[in-house]
Amino acid sequence: MSKTATDTGAAVTYSRVMLKISGEALMGDQGFGLHPPTVARIAQEVKSVRDLGVEICMVIGGGNIFRGLQGSAQGMERTTADYMGMLATVMNALAMQSALEEIGVFTRVISAIPMDQVCEPYIRRRAVRHLEKKRVCIFAAGTGNPYFTTDTAATLRASEMACQAIFKGTKVDGVYDKDPKKHADAKRYTNVTYDEVLEKHLGVMDATAIALARDNDLPIIVFSLDEPGGFRGILAGEGTYTRVQG
């Protein structure tokens, strides 16, 4: 099993990775919903990595359509709000599937909540077989349980699928000690440990996801999804990112 890339420029080959992106990443400059050109651009990024022979899992959040925690904060019952958020992730997964298949990438949407008319139910061995056949697997509906985020779902599925790393696509090119959009003196970490992320509240993923990644020694690569070719570039030893590992 290959190791994660560093900033030395050395190319690294992964055989299987998890790509975690937020629902907001799909809405482009809009304030809500899906922006088809943005979805198509991200699909091309995924294809460029798949074309290297890498097996790809994906988890996409639902915040561009509905966020359970926000609904709960506005008075909605939390469990109901979370299930609505899970359904939003299914919509995003189907949109990404459509964009990937439009460019010739075979894709399966696999839902933690059974809905046979639109996607497959989650069966671990079947999902592994899809990956072995070089199909992109998009895991939707979170873990199927309320009170868990899509970050936790991504870490859980990455562990179950024996992924070698989680790629967390964000709006910035790594993990900073403070918000780089608000503070000009913000410093980017090249490497940071799981415990530092938790102790310093660095906001990479929620605490449950970080703890699960730590327990399974699963590295998290945080990079900018807005940088064209960024996903593929890291695999070639290029680009800027932060590695979270023990």
Side-chain angles (χ1 to χ4, degrees):
M1 185 176 292
S2 56
K3 301 295 183 182
T4 51
T6 66
D7 281 347
T8 60
V12 172
T13 301
Y14 294 99
S15 60
R16 183 178 296 170
V17 300
M18 166 66 72
L19 175 62
K20 168 60 172 68
I21 62 177
S22 67
E24 288 88 345
L26 303 186
M27 65 186 187
D29 295 329
Q30 301 174 157
F32 179 83
L34 290 158
H35 183 238
T38 298
V39 177
R41 178 182 64 79
I42 295 173
Q44 287 287 354
E45 295 274 338
V46 173
K47 182 179 186 298
S48 71
V49 172
R50 199 288 307 265
D51 288 348
L52 295 174
V54 180
E55 297 169 4
I56 301 176
C57 305
M58 293 183 70
V59 168
I60 307 171
N64 57 319
I65 299 171
F66 188 88
R67 186 181 294 278
L69 203 56
Q70 280 184 345
S72 178
Q74 294 172 7
M76 185 176 293
E77 193 270 324
R78 174 64 187 273
T79 301
T80 300
D82 279 355
Y83 277 119
M84 292 173 67
M86 291 179 215
L87 295 177
T89 71
V90 176
M91 295 172 68
N92 284 338
L94 292 172
M96 183 58 65
Q97 178 186 43
S98 176
L100 284 166
E101 293 190 337
E102 184 72 22
I103 54 177
V105 178
F106 293 109
T107 309
R108 294 293 185 272
V109 173
I110 302 170
S111 173
I113 299 174
M115 47 185 81
D116 297 345
Q117 287 82 356
V118 295
C119 50
E120 294 184 7
Y122 176 69
I123 300 171
R124 188 186 68 83
R125 291 174 65 89
R126 181 187 292 176
V128 169
R129 186 61 177 146
H130 286 320
L131 291 171
E132 290 171 348
K133 291 183 175 181
K134 307 304 179 185
R135 298 165 181 159
V136 172
C137 288
I138 307 176
F139 296 101
T143 66
N145 302 287
Y147 296 95
F148 289 93
T149 67
T150 51
D151 281 344
T152 299
T155 309
L156 174 63
R157 297 297 184 231
S159 300
E160 291 180 299
M161 295 297 108
C163 292
Q164 294 167 313
I166 298 174
F167 281 71
K168 175 72 183 288
T170 69
K171 294 287 187 182
V172 293
D173 59 357
V175 180
Y176 286 77
D177 58 353
K178 57 184 103 173
D179 189 342
K181 295 181 179 179
K182 297 179 180 178
H183 304 277
D185 61 342
K187 295 182 179 179
R188 184 181 62 83
Y189 294 94
T190 300
N191 295 281
V192 63
T193 68
Y194 305 112
D195 289 339
E196 285 179 299
V197 169
L198 294 172
E199 291 166 6
K200 297 178 181 179
H201 304 285
L202 295 178
V204 177
M205 290 180 162
D206 67 83
T208 304
I210 293 295
L212 184 58
R214 179 189 61 195
D215 292 347
N216 290 281
D217 194 24
L218 187 60
I220 304 167
I221 309 298
V222 183
F223 72 105
S224 173
L225 197 64
D226 290 339
E227 183 68 29
F231 187 20
R232 191 180 194 279
I234 294 172
L235 296 169
E238 302 169 353
T240 305
Y241 55 91
T242 298
R243 181 181 65 181
V244 181
Q245 198 168 18

